[in-house]
Amino acid sequence: MAKMEVKTSLLDDMIGVGDMVLLEPLNEDSFINNLKKRFDHNEVYTYIGSVVISINPYRSLPIYTPEKVEEYRNRNFYELSPHIFALSDEAYRSLRDQDKDQCILITGESGAGKTEASKLVMSYVAAVCGKGAEVNQVKEQLLQSNPVLEAFGNAKTVRNDNSSRFGKYMDIEFDFKGDPLGGVISNYLLEKSRVVKQPRGERNFHIFYQILSGASEDFLCKLKLERDFSRYNYLGLDSAKVNGVDDAANFRTVRNAMQIVGFMDHETQSVFEVVAAVLKLGNIEFKPESRVNGLDESKIKDKNELKEICELTGIDQSVLERAFSFRTVEAKQEKVSTTLNVAQAYYARDALAKNLYSRLFSWLVTRINESIKAQTKVRKKVMGVLDIYGFEIFEDNSFEQFIINYCNEKLQQIFIELTLKEEQEEYIREGIEWTHIEYFNNAIICDLIENNQTGILAMLDEECLRPGTVTDDTFLEKLNQVCATHQHFESRMSKCSRFLNDTSLPHSCFRIQHYAGKVMYQVEGFVDKNNDLLYRDLSQAMWKASHSLIKALFPEGNPAKINLKRPPTAGSQFKASVATLMKNLQTKNPNYIRCIKPNDKKAAHVFNDALVCHQIRYLGLLENVRVRRAGYAFRQAYEPCLERYKMLCKQTWPHWKGPARAGVEVLFNELEIPEEEFSFGRSKIFIRNPRTLFKLEDLRKQRLEDLATLIEKIYRGWKCRTRFLLMKKSQIVIASWYRRYAQQKKYQKIKSSAIIVQSYIRGWKARKLLRELKHQKRCNEAATIIAAYWHGTQARRELRRLKEEARNKHAIAVIWAYWLGYKVRREYRKFFRANAGRKIYEFTLQRLMQKYFLEMKNKMPSLSPIDKNWPVRPYLFLDSTHKELKRIFHLWRCKKYRDQFTDQQKLIYEEKLEASELFKDKKALYPASVGQPFQGAYLEISKNPKYKKLKDAVDEKIIIAEVVNKINRANGKATSRIFLLTKNNVLLADQKSGNIKSEVPLGDVTKVSMSSQNDGFFAVHLKEGSGAAGKGDFLLSSDHLIEMATKLYRTTLSQTKQKLNIEISDEFLVQFRQDKVCVKFIQGSQKNGNIPTCKRKNNRLLEVAVP
């Protein structure tokens, strides 16, 4: 179907017939041909009303994608092509919207695709239900339960590589919104005989091969297993490897699924240990031995396997060995022990293996149910999915086939009953007269098998419980006596003479005519398989195991709870399970999926008519079609019916404005359909014969072709008219644009010519004006040049005159100067010799000083106050001058450096200077504090919301805020406190809560004591008698002792105008309440590294150890 095409009915583009109810003519050949035609076109699903027929394609088809899920979501069942998603959606919406519990019954023989169908149903429901973390977890657990159960309950058979060897019924529980809450799984009749023996070409259960292929070497070693399949007698070698199956990858998938479902690691380990024990049981072999009394007994050949089994299961080896060799029978107060011969020992071994594996599988189902069950106790909606074996007819049919076919008889019975009930309810709901439908009622066959007095199962149980010699032949004789007259029972040994010469019926067999056909059963093994005995010695041996899981699997082995009653037989257990299942299904709305296998070769594109015919017969599909079309073959709501066929009547086309039913009545009257061919219900139209529906479809198809032709004609006319009008409009637009273009070109040409003429005229005028201006300019320049030359001549004449006058005046001045010089020298000559020495000295000294200062200018050191460099003194007589200049320069550069400080920096340096005066060469801790800036507010109380309460309690400016350790005088231990210094007070507050513990005015602080060593301890001494001195002095420890003491000293001096006494001594007294305690500082190595510690020596001495 094209991507944009929308399909609105099952009848659109139908390949063959999508619903077998509409098949005409209806017979076995037309049924098979219709299935084959659809199968050849990859249509693997076909309807019988609301029943889905599914044919296994044996290949992947692109019809299960997320896009397909969305396509079928919330769509009418008959709206799209037949698909398993349509049935799943119908069931889910009925459960969610109509609050009806649903069940989906999936039947068919092995290899028909039942397991895959159940997976598709669950995956579709998981895809369309709600989302969320919890919902997704529940969906994931429900989906991941499948790989676990498949590994332990599925096996490769000649018909199917993944055949379910057990029946499974899962109830998925939903809340009122339709979101999954959990689920409950029930299992039926695991084929446990496969554990010890498989038919040729088949395998044991998958889990055995998965462990050996996928487990690591260490894990196999723990399980005492080897990877070689040939080492184990319970594994068939001819089909150990299956093409396209990766057992190693499947093992990893199973372990991951067990983890998702909720298995604990020790539970998973226990499960695989039990599987390994079962596998190794098959390697135990026995040899015969004769006793003195002549009785035969058996002994184990190689006890190494037995030893490893006992190590795996935690069973005493002697106990298990005895259980394989002896059997104890208890009757009232007596116990009789008998030996087992080799055949009996092998029977006991195989019985133990089968029971161990079967009980492990039941435990797995129970454990999965614990994980996936709904956790809430609210009312739940339920959707059940039944995946169970179909009807089986083999060459050799035994007890297992008898039980399976009995279950299918019950399912067929409930199928017919519920189908008829559904038909009858719809007829009554729509007001259509119900006519009785003739059909084969298989209740007589069910009664033949399950009757409590004369049923075959009852006879089998009675024979198993009868004392004396009981064999399969005696059981057959009993059947021949009780069931000889039953019309569906056949046996050559019965009293009915018509079977005495039937050579197709052997003497050791009986035949039952089931609804799906006749099946011949061999009675050999019926009694043993029904008894399903496990010797009590083996049960007790298993119960004694230290392996918790194995012990839990065999509760009857507890000696304190010995029950001498015979356990229920396999037949009675299965009969009770089937009865419970039938009761459960009758409370739900059923939905059916009938799976068909197209061929025995598991090959794609191969359709075996004979094989499909056989399955159609025993599934009763033709009977199902006849029941569905016994009254009316097709029914449809009025609205979609009118919408689909309204074009067949002029009155209803294209729109009908009245009620839909009235429109359908007008339509059918217009088409002259006979009244006996249809009937009007309350909300649906019922059509009796498929021919009538196909006639409507043919008329609709013809009418659609006519309408398509009409639409095509109208469309073509519209398209031509539209094209003509568009071309006409385009021609007008092109003509207008051309005329405009031509006028523009003409205008541009005229404009260009005018511009050229104008340019020539303007050029002529400009050149004329230029010539006139040039002539005028030349005249002006000539006059200017003449005047300039004249002015130059005049100036040069005046210059020569002035130079002459100047030379005359200069000669007079020179002569006068020489005369005065001569006169002065003559007067001064008589004084020169007397003052020459002093003058020369002064001149020389002046020149040396000048040279000294000039050199000093070039050799000046840097302006850093800490720079010690100074130029070398050049002359001895300048020594004092040199030193004074050095001092003056240092003072000057210090002043320059100080002028750069802000007020805050000046305050910090004043504090540093004060600290130097107080502690330099007195306190060993001082040198380390010189390079550390005094910050004061270390806690940032105003910014930290933790100290909001403390900030609100302190109104003054905080000078220092630091965490200190307050020393307890009782034990010397430290407690963290917040130390606050304001302008007027010293405060101590709790570090965690911010509550103020102590507040001391600065006037009450008399002295601060500390040691001379490298520690942060100091004592704050309070004035005696003051209010704050009630508890005594404070002994504190801080990482910023120098800063705190300096700020406390300066603040006290500023407020009280008195200097605070700073006492530095390695031993001082501290007042604690009424006592005085001596604090003594000593040197010593400490366990705490470089941290000083305080320790109380006695009532009068606190000793501080400083590293």
Side-chain angles (χ1 to χ4, degrees), residues 35-48:
L35 287 179
K36 184 176 182 180
K37 182 178 181 181
R38 292 179 60 79
F39 178 79
D40 291 340
H41 288 82
N42 294 329
E43 294 287 344
V44 296
Y45 296 110
T46 308
Y47 291 154
I48 302 178

mmCIF file of all heavy atoms in Angstrom, residues 35-48:
data_model
loop_
_atom_site.group_PDB
_atom_site.id
_atom_site.type_symbol
_atom_site.label_atom_id
_atom_site.label_comp_id
_atom_site.label_asym_id
_atom_site.label_seq_id
_atom_site.Cartn_x
_atom_site.Cartn_y
_atom_site.Cartn_z
ATOM 1 N N LEU A 35 -6.194 -19.510 1.806
ATOM 2 C CA LEU A 35 -5.034 -19.375 2.685
ATOM 3 C C LEU A 35 -3.731 -19.359 1.880
ATOM 4 O O LEU A 35 -2.815 -18.568 2.154
ATOM 5 C CB LEU A 35 -4.988 -20.509 3.715
ATOM 6 C CG LEU A 35 -6.006 -20.463 4.854
ATOM 7 C CD1 LEU A 35 -5.829 -21.685 5.752
ATOM 8 C CD2 LEU A 35 -5.870 -19.186 5.674
ATOM 9 N N LYS A 36 -3.640 -20.240 0.883
ATOM 10 C CA LYS A 36 -2.422 -20.327 0.074
ATOM 11 C C LYS A 36 -2.214 -19.054 -0.728
ATOM 12 O O LYS A 36 -1.080 -18.550 -0.837
ATOM 13 C CB LYS A 36 -2.524 -21.534 -0.852
ATOM 14 C CG LYS A 36 -1.255 -21.770 -1.680
ATOM 15 C CD LYS A 36 -1.364 -23.037 -2.502
ATOM 16 C CE LYS A 36 -0.059 -23.282 -3.276
ATOM 17 N NZ LYS A 36 -0.128 -24.522 -4.085
ATOM 18 N N LYS A 37 -3.291 -18.526 -1.308
ATOM 19 C CA LYS A 37 -3.180 -17.300 -2.096
ATOM 20 C C LYS A 37 -2.673 -16.150 -1.230
ATOM 21 O O LYS A 37 -1.784 -15.390 -1.630
ATOM 22 C CB LYS A 37 -4.542 -16.966 -2.703
ATOM 23 C CG LYS A 37 -4.527 -15.719 -3.592
ATOM 24 C CD LYS A 37 -5.899 -15.483 -4.205
ATOM 25 C CE LYS A 37 -5.886 -14.259 -5.120
ATOM 26 N NZ LYS A 37 -7.215 -13.999 -5.718
ATOM 27 N N ARG A 38 -3.209 -16.021 -0.037
ATOM 28 C CA ARG A 38 -2.772 -14.950 0.864
ATOM 29 C C ARG A 38 -1.345 -15.205 1.357
ATOM 30 O O ARG A 38 -0.540 -14.275 1.484
ATOM 31 C CB ARG A 38 -3.732 -14.839 2.060
ATOM 32 C CG ARG A 38 -5.103 -14.334 1.666
ATOM 33 C CD ARG A 38 -6.044 -14.249 2.860
ATOM 34 N NE ARG A 38 -5.557 -13.344 3.887
ATOM 35 C CZ ARG A 38 -5.657 -12.021 3.831
ATOM 36 N NH1 ARG A 38 -6.235 -11.443 2.780
ATOM 37 N NH2 ARG A 38 -5.195 -11.271 4.808
ATOM 38 N N PHE A 39 -0.995 -16.469 1.614
ATOM 39 C CA PHE A 39 0.349 -16.808 2.071
ATOM 40 C C PHE A 39 1.386 -16.464 0.998
ATOM 41 O O PHE A 39 2.471 -15.951 1.319
ATOM 42 C CB PHE A 39 0.403 -18.302 2.419
ATOM 43 C CG PHE A 39 1.763 -18.778 2.872
ATOM 44 C CD1 PHE A 39 2.203 -18.535 4.159
ATOM 45 C CD2 PHE A 39 2.601 -19.470 2.004
ATOM 46 C CE1 PHE A 39 3.452 -18.972 4.583
ATOM 47 C CE2 PHE A 39 3.839 -19.901 2.412
ATOM 48 C CZ PHE A 39 4.271 -19.655 3.704
ATOM 49 N N ASP A 40 1.055 -16.724 -0.278
ATOM 50 C CA ASP A 40 1.991 -16.423 -1.364
ATOM 51 C C ASP A 40 2.224 -14.928 -1.507
ATOM 52 O O ASP A 40 3.245 -14.508 -2.071
ATOM 53 C CB ASP A 40 1.465 -16.991 -2.682
ATOM 54 C CG ASP A 40 1.492 -18.516 -2.695
ATOM 55 O OD1 ASP A 40 2.250 -19.096 -1.885
ATOM 56 O OD2 ASP A 40 0.741 -19.123 -3.493
ATOM 57 N N HIS A 41 1.299 -14.093 -1.028
ATOM 58 C CA HIS A 41 1.455 -12.634 -1.086
ATOM 59 C C HIS A 41 1.859 -12.061 0.274
ATOM 60 O O HIS A 41 1.623 -10.887 0.558
ATOM 61 C CB HIS A 41 0.142 -11.984 -1.552
ATOM 62 C CG HIS A 41 -0.164 -12.209 -2.996
ATOM 63 N ND1 HIS A 41 -0.745 -13.380 -3.451
ATOM 64 C CD2 HIS A 41 0.043 -11.436 -4.109
ATOM 65 C CE1 HIS A 41 -0.906 -13.313 -4.771
ATOM 66 N NE2 HIS A 41 -0.427 -12.147 -5.195
ATOM 67 N N ASN A 42 2.474 -12.920 1.111
ATOM 68 C CA ASN A 42 2.986 -12.489 2.428
ATOM 69 C C ASN A 42 1.883 -12.016 3.362
ATOM 70 O O ASN A 42 2.152 -11.255 4.313
ATOM 71 C CB ASN A 42 4.035 -11.379 2.280
ATOM 72 C CG ASN A 42 5.282 -11.865 1.584
ATOM 73 O OD1 ASN A 42 5.646 -13.030 1.697
ATOM 74 N ND2 ASN A 42 5.938 -10.979 0.842
ATOM 75 N N GLU A 43 0.626 -12.431 3.104
ATOM 76 C CA GLU A 43 -0.474 -12.150 4.018
ATOM 77 C C GLU A 43 -0.654 -13.385 4.906
ATOM 78 O O GLU A 43 -1.343 -14.327 4.542
ATOM 79 C CB GLU A 43 -1.756 -11.837 3.248
ATOM 80 C CG GLU A 43 -1.709 -10.557 2.443
ATOM 81 C CD GLU A 43 -1.786 -9.324 3.333
ATOM 82 O OE1 GLU A 43 -2.175 -9.455 4.516
ATOM 83 O OE2 GLU A 43 -1.444 -8.227 2.855
ATOM 84 N N VAL A 44 0.008 -13.393 6.072
ATOM 85 C CA VAL A 44 0.022 -14.595 6.906
ATOM 86 C C VAL A 44 -1.136 -14.621 7.897
ATOM 87 O O VAL A 44 -1.296 -15.602 8.636
ATOM 88 C CB VAL A 44 1.362 -14.703 7.664
ATOM 89 C CG1 VAL A 44 2.508 -14.880 6.687
ATOM 90 C CG2 VAL A 44 1.603 -13.486 8.543
ATOM 91 N N TYR A 45 -1.935 -13.561 7.946
ATOM 92 C CA TYR A 45 -3.063 -13.518 8.887
ATOM 93 C C TYR A 45 -4.371 -13.452 8.112
ATOM 94 O O TYR A 45 -4.494 -12.736 7.109
ATOM 95 C CB TYR A 45 -2.955 -12.301 9.805
ATOM 96 C CG TYR A 45 -1.741 -12.340 10.706
ATOM 97 C CD1 TYR A 45 -0.691 -11.456 10.511
ATOM 98 C CD2 TYR A 45 -1.657 -13.255 11.746
ATOM 99 C CE1 TYR A 45 0.426 -11.481 11.328
ATOM 100 C CE2 TYR A 45 -0.543 -13.302 12.568
ATOM 101 C CZ TYR A 45 0.502 -12.415 12.356
ATOM 102 O OH TYR A 45 1.596 -12.460 13.169
ATOM 103 N N THR A 46 -5.357 -14.223 8.584
ATOM 104 C CA THR A 46 -6.696 -14.242 8.009
ATOM 105 C C THR A 46 -7.693 -14.338 9.162
ATOM 106 O O THR A 46 -7.396 -14.936 10.205
ATOM 107 C CB THR A 46 -6.863 -15.441 7.052
ATOM 108 O OG1 THR A 46 -5.783 -15.438 6.107
ATOM 109 C CG2 THR A 46 -8.176 -15.373 6.298
ATOM 110 N N TYR A 47 -8.880 -13.728 8.985
ATOM 111 C CA TYR A 47 -9.897 -13.737 10.040
ATOM 112 C C TYR A 47 -10.928 -14.833 9.792
ATOM 113 O O TYR A 47 -11.196 -15.229 8.652
ATOM 114 C CB TYR A 47 -10.637 -12.404 10.095
ATOM 115 C CG TYR A 47 -9.813 -11.243 10.576
ATOM 116 C CD1 TYR A 47 -10.139 -9.938 10.197
ATOM 117 C CD2 TYR A 47 -8.724 -11.428 11.430
ATOM 118 C CE1 TYR A 47 -9.398 -8.856 10.642
ATOM 119 C CE2 TYR A 47 -7.980 -10.354 11.885
ATOM 120 C CZ TYR A 47 -8.316 -9.066 11.480
ATOM 121 O OH TYR A 47 -7.591 -8.000 11.922
ATOM 122 N N ILE A 48 -11.496 -15.332 10.882
ATOM 123 C CA ILE A 48 -12.791 -16.015 10.867
ATOM 124 C C ILE A 48 -13.644 -15.240 11.859
ATOM 125 O O ILE A 48 -13.656 -15.543 13.057
ATOM 126 C CB ILE A 48 -12.703 -17.491 11.265
ATOM 127 C CG1 ILE A 48 -11.757 -18.249 10.341
ATOM 128 C CG2 ILE A 48 -14.081 -18.123 11.267
ATOM 129 C CD1 ILE A 48 -11.595 -19.710 10.711
#
